């Protein structure tokens, strides 16, 4: 492992990968970002700033600090250039085990031998990825939530060959970028908060799909109870319904429990291109979803 973490590389500059890059840059780290799509970082940041405006939730360092961090991320179209000097590489590609293993094999070949390789997967334990490398003890799960909206939580979990020094270094690094590490002492599929969220999300999706309760009423109930600015369906729209579907399928593949199969109605939405906030339509219409309107909690829509 590196003596000190100074250089960070982010591989995959979608909505979360871009946030991780900016969060690290805001705290003085030298950050390189790579994505196969040349405009991925710009597209992600358009979505991120639209989310900040719509939710009126802000990064912990403030909006101006966030913008300054954005400008410090060095973008490159060459994967080896991004990772060849990194102390910590964080993969943030789509939630597919085969793809993540393919990426980790490349990172293992290109990154310095002492570098820590981490995955931002929202459900897949690193033990299923680390064998694609020759450094399993230096592979970690570092799962970020949504730091641009002040949700600055990070699941920290080791794999099948844990190295306590690597875990401690990752916990310290997470704290150094203004985030709160949630340390998992045993390998847990889908980690901590996501595991808790899944129970609510699974029940909400099935109640919606079988017509038991209107989705807006479920979101209202959640918002009144928790005081959060969105409910399960608003949150799923923010995450992306394609991502939600893949995560739910990962739960099913993990357990083979038919209760965990996402409803067909969710897949039908995805097939229609209704992916949530990023496509302009999901469970709600964007950029001005009903759950942000003053009348929403009362349930009495004007007119």
């Amino acid at each position: 492992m590196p003596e000190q973490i100074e250089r960070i590389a982010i591989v995959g500059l979608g909505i979360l990968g871009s946030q991780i890059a900016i969060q690290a840059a805001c705290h003085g780290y030298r950050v390189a970002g790579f994505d196969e799509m040349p405009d991925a970082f710009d597209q992600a940041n358009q979505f991120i700033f639209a989310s900040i405006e719509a939710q009126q939730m802000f990064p912990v360092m403030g909006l101006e600090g966030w913008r300054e961090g954005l400008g410090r991320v060095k973008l490159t179209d060459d994967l080896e250039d991004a990772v060849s000097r990194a102390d910590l590489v964080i993969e943030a590609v789509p939630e597919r085990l085969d793809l993540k293993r393919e990426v980790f094999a490349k990172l293992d070949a290109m990154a310095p031998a002492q570098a820590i390789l981490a995955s931002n997967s929202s459900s897949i334990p690193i033990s299923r990825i680390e064998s694609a490398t020759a450094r399993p003890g230096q592979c970690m799960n570092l799962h970020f939530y949504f730091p641009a909206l002040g949700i600055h939580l990070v699941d920290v979990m080791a794999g099948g060959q844990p190295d306590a020094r690597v875990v401690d270094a990752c916990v310290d690094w997470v704290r150094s970028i203004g985030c709160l590490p949630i340390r998992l002492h045993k390998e847990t599929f889908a980690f901590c908060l996501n595991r808790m969220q899944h129970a609510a999300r699974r029940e909400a999706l099935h109640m919606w799909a079988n017509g038991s309760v209107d989705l807006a009423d479920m979101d209202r109930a959640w918002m009144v109870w928790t005081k959060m600015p969105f409910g399960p369906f608003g949150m799923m729209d923010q995450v992306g319904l394609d991502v939600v579907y893949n995560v739910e399928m990962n739960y099913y593949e993990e357990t083979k429990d038919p209760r965990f199969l996402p409803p067909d109605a969710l897949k039908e939405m995805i097939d229609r291109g209704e992916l949530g906030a990023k496509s302009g339509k999901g469970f709600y219409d964007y950029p001005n979803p009903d759950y942000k309107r003053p009348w929403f909690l009362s349930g009495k829509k004007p007119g």
Side-chain angles (χ1 to χ4, degrees), residues 78-81 83-85 105-113 135:
D78 185 312
L79 177 59
E80 187 165 9
D81 178 50
V83 308
S84 62
R85 295 177 297 280
K106 292 179 180 178
L107 299 180
D108 190 45
M110 296 176 179
R135 60 180 95 185

Side-chain angles (χ1 to χ4, degrees), residues 188-204:
T188 303
F189 184 79
F191 321 124
C192 178
L193 182 58
N194 263 4
R195 186 73 172 262
M196 294 188 288
Q197 286 180 327
H198 171 255
R201 184 173 63 236
R202 182 192 70 212
E203 294 302 319

Side-chain angles (χ1 to χ4, degrees), residues 256-273:
K256 300 301 182 184
D257 187 332
R259 295 177 303 164
F260 291 171
L261 269 174
D264 291 342
L266 178 62
K267 183 62 164 60
E268 290 166 5
M269 291 179 68
I270 295 166
D271 291 343
R272 292 194 298 268

Side-chain angles (χ1 to χ4, degrees), residues 20-287:
I20 299 168
I22 296 167
Q23 184 80 17
C26 282
H27 288 81
Y29 286 94
R30 300 167 78 173
V31 182
F34 166 84
D35 196 290
E36 290 183 341
M37 294 177 56
D39 58 349
F41 192 65
D42 289 341
Q43 288 187 4
N45 279 292
Q46 288 176 18
F47 174 84
I48 290 165
F49 282 105
S51 296
I52 290 171
E53 182 177 357
Q55 306 293 352
Q56 287 298 292
M57 296 170 67
F58 301 92
V60 292
M61 75 287 298
L63 197 53
E64 188 57 37
W66 185 265
R67 290 186 187 278
E68 290 178 7
L70 186 158
R72 297 193 191 111
V73 177
K74 176 192 172 185
L75 303 179
T76 176
D77 60 1
D78 185 312
L79 177 59
E80 187 165 9
D81 178 50
V83 308
S84 62
R85 295 177 297 280
D87 302 308
L88 169 64
V89 182
I90 302 177
E91 162 272 311
V93 304
E95 196 75 353
R96 287 182 15 230
L97 177 58
D98 60 338
L99 177 59
K100 290 180 183 294
R101 286 181 58 85
E102 178 184 333
V103 169
F104 262 67
K106 292 179 180 178
L107 299 180
D108 190 45
M110 296 176 179
Q114 73 274 15
I116 297 169
L117 307 182
S119 175
N120 184 54
S121 171
S122 58
S123 62
I124 302 172
I126 195 66
S127 65
R128 301 184 188 180
I129 305 171
E130 64 189 16
S131 61
T133 78
R135 60 180 95 185
Q138 291 166 230
C139 294
M140 291 288 297
N141 282 112
L142 290 180
H143 170 242
F144 286 71
Y145 287 81
F146 212 112
L149 297 186
I151 307 173
H152 60 303
L153 304 173
V154 184
D155 291 309
V156 180
M157 188 173 79
Q161 300 185 37
D163 183 325
R165 297 172 306 156
V166 173
V167 177
D168 289 343
C170 288
V171 167
D172 290 344
W173 179 76
V174 167
R175 289 192 185 281
S176 78
I177 62 169
C179 290
L180 176 63
I182 307 299
R183 186 168 183 167
L184 287 100
H185 299 289
K186 294 182 179 180
E187 187 171 89
T188 303
F189 184 79
F191 321 124
C192 178
L193 182 58
N194 263 4
R195 186 73 172 262
M196 294 188 288
Q197 286 180 327
H198 171 255
R201 184 173 63 236
R202 182 192 70 212
E203 294 302 319
L205 280 169
H206 284 282
M207 285 193 288
W208 159 73
N210 67 26
S212 296
V213 188
D214 185 80
L215 70 89
D217 278 338
M218 282 188 271
D219 272 0
R220 286 187 191 98
W222 188 271
M223 292 164 70
V224 169
W225 180 42
T226 66
K227 310 302 181 186
M228 290 181 65
F230 38 67
F233 294 92
M235 173 62 84
M236 285 188 275
D237 273 355
Q238 293 297 321
V239 171
L241 302 191
D242 51 340
V243 176
V244 169
Y245 183 85
N246 287 339
V247 169
E248 295 302 301
M249 285 301 297
N250 283 336
Y251 275 98
Y252 171 70
E253 293 297 336
E254 173 73 10
T255 64
K256 300 301 182 184
D257 187 332
R259 295 177 303 164
F260 291 171
L261 269 174
D264 291 342
L266 178 62
K267 183 62 164 60
E268 290 166 5
M269 291 179 68
I270 295 166
D271 291 343
R272 292 194 298 268
E274 298 170 8
L275 306 181
K278 63 186 175 184
S279 70
K281 183 173 179 60
F283 291 110
Y284 297 92
D285 294 330
Y286 294 85

